[in-house]
Amino acid sequence: MQNKGLIKFFAILFALVSIYQLSFTFVTNNIEKKAKAFANGDSKKELFYLDSIGKEKVFLGHTFNEVRAKQINKGLDLEGGINVILQISVKDVLKGLANNSKNPVFNKALAEATKNREGNQSYLDAFFIAFDKESNGATKLASPEIFGNRNLSDVIKFDMSDAQVKAVLRKKVEESVESAFRVLRERIDKFGVTQPNIQKLGESGRILVELPGAKDVDRITKLLQSTAQLEFWETYKTDEIGNFLLAANETLKKTEKATVETKEAAKKTDIDSLLTNKATDSAAAKKGNNPLLDLVVGGGQQGSPVLAYFNPKDTAKVNSYLKRDDIRSLLPAEQRYVRFAWGKLNPKAPNVVELYALKANREGIPPMSGGVITDARESFDQMGRPSVTMQMNATGAKKWEELTGKAYTQQSNIAIVLDNIVYSAPGVSSGPIAGGRSEISGVFDVAETKDLANILRAGKLPASAEIVQSEVVGPSLGQQAIDNGITSSLVGLLLVSLWMVFYYGKAGWYANIALAVNLLFLFGILASLGAVLTLPGIAGIVLTMGTAVDANIIIYERAKEELRLGKSLDEAVRFSFTWRGAMSSITDANVTHVLTGLVLLIFGTGPIKGFATTLLIGIFTSLFTSIFITRMLLDWGVSRGTKLQFSTAITKNWFTNFHFDFLKIKKWTYLFSGLVVVVSCISFAINGLDEGVDFVGGRTFQVKFEKAIEPSEIADALSKEDVFGSAEAKVFGDANQLKITTKYKVQETSSEVDKEVNEKLYNALKHYYSNDISYDKFVNTFDGKKIGVLQASKVSAAVSDDIKTNSYWAVLGSMAIVFVYLMISFRKWQYSLGAIAAVAHDVIFVLGIYSLCYKFMPFHMEMDQHFIAAILTVIGYSMNDTVIVFDRVREYLAGNTKGHFNDIVNKSINTTLSRTINTSLTLLLVLLIMFIFGGESIRGFIFAMLVGITVGTYSSLFIATPVLCDTVTKKEREEIEARHNKTEE
């Protein structure tokens, strides 16, 4: 080997750099263990401890914050925490840019884009297509009614073409997403979690937010989704709107069916009259025949800005009444633009919410907005209640003085409205307020005022942010995943190492040393890249152990063959490392593997990217160590006179002189595989596949109970009309742990709906626990959590469409790319066709097994992103096996091997059996270990690979090669046989 000294130098340097990079992870882990011991389960104490030493130098002159930034970060499935994908509403951005245009073509296009957006299509592209269709060239985007308005006059002119306006809109939408990204990052940085991660996902308008260690689910979703649209409105009083509500109730009697309900009255305060005495008497007279007034659970006092009190569950119905045109027409002329708004829910009175009437104008623009706020701080009001104080700029201070002066003179109130919720509506009793200082008080706790101040300081989002995908993982579940990953890794490493020594003897020890170096390099690269380690990523590392020895196996088997041909040990080793030896097979096998890994990296999301990353890095480190480290060890052994046979006394003659006629039984293998394909297709039509929420959208909860529970009982409890309407529950691992799935309100993305879902789940399941488990303990995560919701996820239909589209393209794209590569590499399309036929067979086989068995298998067999990752991995390894066989077929057909065409091909397959079986066996060993020890969450993922690798080994021998032979033309066969017969003569 040329430049041996240089390679040795770089290998040592690389090893030292890897150790250096990994040292930061070890130091960080030790300090975090001390923090956990100090906190004794209190997450706030733990965070305080870590923050307190953040700037202290703890290792090689680096501060703890610097050291922690250089460690291998653990993903949420290992660390615990909250992961969400926010979709910035491009629809809201467009409406804002169009100044809330009433143009029918524009609004129809918005509606059609929402309805018809396809998987992987951006909302903006869908809008452009819908607008072109609806306008049919008659209405232009630059119309003054749409985007040619005063707000955009500096960039959009009336004479601009639609194409020019589209370019401007793309830029404006991109700026809005960037603005939202900055606002969210500032909010998160002040939230108080260690190492938050926020990143834009391409040009999709989606933003990924990861908060390791975060535990308060409801608080975080509210923090992320609040647009911080702060507004100040004048309000109407009860006596000004009371007659309208009475008139509305009378009109509704004509269209609404009478409903008799027993209302749970609000907790008695000084609210003892409804609207006015007259209204109370009217309502009392005919209880059960008042569509609007019967929903009232308490009335506002005379002169109060609170019109009435309602039950929160009735707010949607009240909204629908008050929005009706025939009801709005009852308003006096001076009130025709009134805007109704609800107050902030009080946790101490959860069955009551206030209704306000705001003095709006034709444009719907408030007298003051939050844009004038320069600072906000959490504080306490004069009564010692948590509040938020705000400071305004000069313009805001002047306007605030005018507004408060008017309220003082008229003895009216000013509503402070944040994201369409009235937080408070104070009156002004001491004259105009100068200086621009104001306060938001109301029903708050300290955490809420802290978050509200944080949100106001960071600024408002340019549009609403919808949570289209989310995942919550408890820290105890993360620790279990780490334990499972370590166990499977150690057992897998031990088994592979033992097998290599058992089969190859002393050469096996060299391969094991190379494997150890490979793992050091792999972790060193992960640390230097700042990669995030996930549970699928650990699976990728364990798979690397199985594949790391593949190249060694190919090299060793080639060296054995050369020794049998009478070459010396030195010659055999040198030849096995040449292109004509093992390098061509290794290159082709790994390039196909890298191509499928790249497809997985491009189309995968979240943990799947982690799997693809470790897999790709593992391929390159395995190649380096197998080719260079093993070569140095072999050369060192040869130079010392070490006797290497690349086998042991037991395995010396395994797979030698093997003469099986693979092509003779091709009719039977075709028949068997054809039958499998037919049965699989029938099963697809009858059973279908168990599509997970990744593919169809929905909400999933992993819930643990104190004792074994019957899934059907839980499913029935959650499927009631007043809960989710429909839900599925399946055992997940232990008998006391269920995986619950529902599509209840998955299309609604507000934080209020997410909280409603959590509350419904809690209320339906709390009586299955012996202790009185609280809502917070059931829903939120914390260290040592044993029961309740351990993991929760949500995938909206829009995201599931994208995932499904990506999955199709990933599978088809990887097959197409490999087909083209093999055709270029082998220079004959027959090789590509044979390989693709085998891969298609393997994919259908795995899908068929999952379709046939998912209803009764003791573990989950869902179609999700993990499953697609398994399919792509199967494609890569199936190609790996096939390429090893094809490389020998090509060598023998181009060489001087004697015999007829079929004889040469059969001999090619037989001589590669040792390679094929060994590479598959080592991989199956580690997969089996992961299947047993890896944990329930990846069991279905591993099972797909187990089946796929087994079938892939079969197809490379019994499908790929026969298809190759059957597609070779008769003329080419005759030419090959003539050349070989001439050689024989």
Side-chain angles (χ1 to χ4, degrees):
M1 181 171 63
Q2 300 295 323
N3 300 317
K4 189 185 301 182
L6 187 62
I7 291 171
K8 188 182 295 184
F9 169 77
F10 277 113
I12 294 172
L13 181 64
F14 201 1
L16 292 174
V17 170
S18 297
I19 293 170
Y20 171 75
Q21 290 289 351
L22 289 172
S23 64
F24 292 102
T25 301
F26 290 122
V27 172
T28 302
N29 286 341
N30 287 332
I31 293 174
E32 287 178 346
K33 283 180 183 177
K34 291 179 182 178
K36 284 186 182 294
F38 168 80
N40 195 25
D42 188 332
S43 58
K44 291 182 180 178
K45 274 189 177 181
E46 182 181 341
L47 187 61
F48 172 78
Y49 181 95
L50 296 175
D51 285 342
S52 67
I53 63 168
K55 295 181 180 179
E56 290 183 17
K57 293 183 178 180
V58 295
F59 181 65
L60 299 179
H62 294 282
T63 65
F64 173 66
N65 287 339
E66 292 170 340
V67 170
R68 186 167 56 181
K70 293 176 180 289
Q71 70 166 332
I72 297 179
N73 295 312
K74 294 190 286 288
L76 294 188
D77 52 356
L78 300 179
E79 178 77 7
I82 297 174
N83 168 308
V84 301
I85 293 179
L86 292 161
Q87 175 75 64
I88 301 303
S89 176
V90 177
K91 181 178 181 179
D92 285 356
V93 173
L94 292 174
K95 287 171 74 173
L97 292 172
N99 205 16
N100 292 310
S101 171
K102 305 298 183 185
N103 183 279
V105 173
F106 170 74
N107 284 291
K108 182 70 182 299
L110 289 175
E112 289 297 310
T114 302
K115 179 182 176 183
N116 299 324
R117 192 190 76 85
E118 298 175 354
N120 260 355
Q121 184 184 44
S122 71
Y123 182 89
L124 190 59
D125 286 334
F127 167 75
F128 289 154
I129 292 170
F131 185 86
D132 291 342
K133 182 180 177 182
E134 293 298 324
S135 68
N136 201 21
T139 305
K140 298 294 184 184
L141 289 170
S143 165
E145 291 185 359
I146 308 178
F147 295 112
N149 56 59
R150 188 182 304 170
N151 294 340
L152 295 174
S153 59
D154 56 332
V155 288
I156 294 180
K157 309 301 180 186
F158 299 154
D159 58 348
M160 289 175 68
S161 66
D162 280 357
Q164 290 173 312
V165 175
K166 287 176 183 178
V168 173
L169 293 178
R170 288 189 189 280
K171 185 177 179 181
K172 288 291 182 182
V173 169
E174 187 179 334
E175 288 173 354
S176 296
V177 174
E178 180 62 36
S179 172
F181 176 76
R182 289 196 301 269
V183 170
L184 287 170
R185 183 171 56 193
E186 190 169 342
R187 288 185 191 177
I188 291 163
D189 285 345
K190 291 180 173 66
F191 182 70
V193 294
T194 57
Q195 296 180 294
N197 174 38
I198 175 170
Q199 54 183 288
K200 290 188 293 183
L201 300 179
E203 303 300 321
S204 64
R206 290 177 183 157
I207 297 173
L208 169 69
V209 178
E210 291 183 324
L211 303 174
K215 298 173 176 65
D216 193 331
V217 178
D218 294 335
R219 181 185 171 195
I220 288 166
T221 54
K222 186 176 179 181
L223 172 80
L224 294 176
Q225 288 193 276
S226 174
T227 57
Q229 189 74 34
L230 181 65
E231 299 169 339
F232 300 89
W233 294 90
E234 295 177 85
T235 66
Y236 288 107
K237 296 178 182 179
T238 305
D239 47 310
E240 294 176 291
I241 297 292
N243 289 332
F244 161 71
L245 294 178
L246 290 172
N249 184 68
E250 291 301 314
T251 301
L252 288 167
K253 287 181 182 180
K254 301 171 184 177
T255 60
E256 301 300 306
K257 292 181 180 179
T259 57
V260 180
E261 279 188 66
T262 302
K263 291 291 173 185
E264 182 182 338
K267 187 175 181 180
K268 291 294 181 182
T269 61
D270 58 351
I271 306 166
D272 53 12
S273 61
L274 170 61
L275 304 178
T276 62
N277 291 334
K278 181 180 176 183
T280 308
D281 295 340
S282 176
K286 294 183 180 179
K287 188 66 176 174
N289 193 31
N290 299 284
L292 178 59
L293 298 185
D294 282 351
L295 299 176
V296 174
V297 294
Q301 290 181 326
Q302 190 81 15
S304 168
V306 178
L307 304 183
Y309 294 83
F310 293 84
N311 193 308
K313 71 182 182 65
D314 294 325
T315 55
K317 183 180 287 188
V318 175
N319 285 339
S320 68
Y321 289 161
L322 298 179
K323 286 180 180 177
R324 280 172 42 171
D325 291 338
D326 59 332
I327 302 299
R328 297 281 304 185
S329 67
L330 301 174
L331 286 162
E334 67 275 11
Q335 295 178 358
R336 65 183 181 278
Y337 299 121
V338 66
R339 174 180 161 191
F340 294 99
W342 297 101
K344 181 180 180 296
L345 281 174
N346 183 351
K348 295 180 180 178
N351 295 324
V352 177
V353 63
E354 308 100 332
L355 177 65
Y356 294 88
L358 310 180
K359 292 183 179 180
N361 49 40
R362 183 186 184 91
E363 292 78 23
I365 299 173
M368 282 184 65
S369 68
V372 300
I373 302 299
T374 57
D375 193 19
R377 291 281 181 269
E378 60 268 30
S379 183
F380 293 90
D381 64 14
Q382 292 178 347
M383 299 180 67
R385 297 174 303 183
S387 64
V388 175
T389 57
M390 301 175 294
Q391 183 62 49
M392 303 174 183
N393 58 25
T395 303
K398 183 179 179 181
K399 184 64 181 174
W400 184 242
E401 187 172 0
E402 292 174 5
L403 197 60
T404 53
K406 184 178 179 181
Y408 173 72
T409 302
Q410 298 178 353
Q411 289 299 293
S412 60
N413 299 73
I414 300 173
I416 300 174
V417 183
L418 181 68
D419 294 339
N420 297 318
I421 300 294
V422 178
Y423 274 64
S424 60
V428 180
S429 58
S430 57
I433 301 174
R437 188 172 180 82
S438 61
E439 183 179 64
I440 304 177
S441 60
V443 185
F444 294 110
D445 59 31
V446 174
E448 283 182 306
T449 57
K450 182 178 180 180
D451 290 344
L452 182 54
N454 176 9
I455 288 170
L456 293 175
R457 284 196 303 272
K460 69 175 183 178
L461 290 174
S464 60
E466 302 168 345
I467 294 181
V468 293
Q469 186 174 349
S470 65
E471 184 174 17
V472 180
V473 182
S476 56
L477 202 62
Q479 187 57 51
Q480 183 183 348
I482 293 173
D483 295 341
N484 291 338
I486 291 173
T487 301
S488 59
S489 300
L490 292 176
V491 176
L493 179 62
L494 180 64
L495 284 180
V496 170
S497 301
L498 289 175
W499 175 257
M500 292 301 289
V501 173
F502 168 76
Y503 199 89
Y504 293 107
K506 191 170 290 186
W509 283 110
Y510 294 159
N512 289 340
I513 293 172
L515 173 59
V517 175
N518 171 46
L519 291 175
L520 175 63
F521 289 174
L522 172 59
F523 280 106
I525 292 174
L526 288 173
S528 63
L529 292 176
V532 177
L533 191 60
T534 62
L535 188 57
I538 291 178
I541 292 170
V542 179
L543 277 174
T544 298
M545 297 177 194
T547 58
V549 294
D550 282 0
N552 285 134
I553 290 171
I554 296 172
I555 292 166
Y556 289 178
E557 291 298 324
R558 189 69 194 212
K560 270 202 293 191
E561 291 175 6
E562 298 306 313
L563 288 174
R564 292 192 192 106
L565 293 173
K567 290 184 178 179
S568 67
L569 179 60
D570 183 43
E571 290 172 332
V573 169
R574 278 191 285 110
F575 183 80
S576 62
F577 280 92
T578 64
W579 186 260
R580 289 179 57 236
M583 289 304 104
S584 61
S585 296
I586 291 172
T587 301
D588 286 331
N590 280 281
V591 167
T592 55
H593 204 178
V594 166
L595 289 173
T596 54
L598 286 173
V599 170
L600 193 58
L601 186 67
I602 293 167
F603 288 98
T605 58
I608 303 306
K609 283 189 181 290
F611 173 74
T613 301
T614 54
L615 201 61
L616 286 169
I617 294 172
I619 290 170
F620 289 107
T621 55
S622 297
L623 281 174
F624 178 83
T625 53
S626 298
I627 294 172
F628 296 109
I629 303 299
T630 305
R631 177 68 186 275
M632 285 194 296
L633 292 171
L634 288 173
D635 287 347
W636 174 76
V638 171
S639 66
R640 293 179 70 244
T642 304
K643 189 175 182 181
L644 292 172
Q645 295 296 324
F646 298 99
S647 61
T648 63
I650 299 174
T651 62
K652 184 176 182 180
N653 295 316
W654 285 15
F655 303 110
T656 57
N657 299 317
F658 201 75
H659 304 291
F660 185 80
D661 195 340
F662 288 90
L663 297 180
K664 185 178 181 180
I665 63 167
K666 67 180 181 181
K667 290 182 180 179
W668 295 106
T669 58
Y670 281 166
L671 181 64
F672 169 73
S673 294
L675 185 63
V676 168
V677 170
V678 170
V679 170
S680 296
C681 291
I682 294 172
S683 182
F684 297 155
I686 297 174
N687 289 333
L689 288 156
D690 186 14
E691 293 186 276
V693 294
D694 282 357
F695 276 27
V696 296
R699 301 174 188 270
T700 300
F701 302 91
Q702 186 177 329
V703 182
K704 195 158 191 175
F705 297 84
E706 294 162 325
K707 58 185 178 180
I709 197 86
E710 183 59 43
S712 59
E713 183 181 351
I714 298 299
D716 291 341
L718 295 173
S719 296
K720 292 177 180 177
E721 286 301 319
D722 59 344
V723 188
F724 294 149
S726 66
E728 291 182 0
K730 300 177 183 176
V731 174
F732 191 75
D734 300 330
N736 65 333
Q737 185 169 260
L738 299 183
K739 188 173 187 180
I740 296 168
T741 306
T742 179
K743 291 187 178 180
Y744 180 74
K745 290 191 177 181
V746 71
Q747 295 291 63
E748 299 183 35
T749 53
S750 68
S751 58
E752 289 79 10
V753 170
D754 290 341
K755 186 174 182 180
E756 177 197 341
V757 172
N758 288 337
E759 288 174 344
K760 282 181 176 287
L761 183 70
Y762 167 69
N763 290 327
L765 300 183
K766 63 182 179 182
H767 64 276
Y768 289 96
Y769 294 86
S770 59
N771 297 323
D772 186 17
I773 186 171
S774 67
Y775 170 79
D776 286 340
K777 287 185 177 179
F778 179 79
V779 171
N780 293 328
T781 64
F782 52 86
D783 292 328
K785 185 174 183 178
K786 303 288 185 182
I787 57 174
V789 178
L790 301 183
Q791 184 171 6
S793 64
K794 178 182 80 171
V795 180
S796 71
V799 171
S800 64
D801 285 346
D802 290 354
I803 291 172
K804 189 180 290 187
T805 302
N806 280 342
S807 299
Y808 291 150
W809 282 115
V811 173
L812 295 175
S814 62
M815 293 173 70
I817 290 169
V818 171
F819 180 91
V820 171
Y821 172 76
L822 291 179
M823 192 161 63
I824 294 171
S825 178
F826 285 85
R827 299 177 185 176
K828 287 186 180 293
W829 62 268
Q830 288 92 339
Y831 287 98
S832 295
L833 183 63
I836 292 300
V839 167
H841 163 274
D842 300 343
V843 171
I844 293 172
F845 200 111
V846 174
L847 289 171
I849 291 290
Y850 269 61
S851 178
L852 288 165
C853 303
Y854 76 84
K855 291 182 179 179
F856 58 84
M857 277 289 194
F859 53 88
H860 286 261
M861 301 178 74
E862 288 183 350
M863 285 274 289
D864 56 14
Q865 292 186 80
H866 293 85
F867 179 81
I868 296 302
I871 290 293
L872 289 172
T873 307
V874 166
I875 290 173
Y877 286 109
S878 179
M879 288 292 183
N880 196 326
D881 276 347
T882 302
V883 163
I884 290 172
V885 175
F886 279 2
D887 189 73
R888 182 53 60 90
V889 171
R890 175 177 60 179
E891 179 188 344
Y892 276 27
L893 289 178
N896 299 319
T897 305
K898 300 175 182 179
H900 295 288
F901 182 86
N902 282 5
D903 297 332
I904 298 169
V905 172
N906 270 319
K907 188 172 184 181
S908 304
I909 301 173
N910 280 293
T911 56
T912 59
L913 271 183
S914 184
R915 300 184 195 180
T916 303
I917 292 174
N918 262 314
T919 53
S920 297
L921 185 61
T922 53
L923 189 55
L924 288 172
L925 272 174
V926 295
L927 285 172
L928 189 61
I929 294 305
M930 276 196 291
F931 181 77
I932 297 170
F933 298 106
E936 186 65 32
S937 59
I938 61 169
R939 194 155 284 150
F941 164 61
I942 299 300
F943 183 73
M945 284 196 281
L946 268 172
V947 174
I949 300 303
T950 304
V951 175
T953 304
Y954 156 82
S955 66
S956 65
L957 300 174
F958 296 102
I959 300 297
T961 311
V963 168
L964 164 66
C965 294
D966 290 344
T967 52
V968 172
T969 62
K970 183 179 179 181
K971 181 180 178 183
E972 192 171 355
R973 280 170 172 262
E974 290 173 350
E975 288 176 354
I976 291 170
E977 289 179 351
R979 187 173 67 251
H980 284 264
N981 288 335
K982 183 178 179 181
T983 303
E984 191 175 358
E985 294 170 2

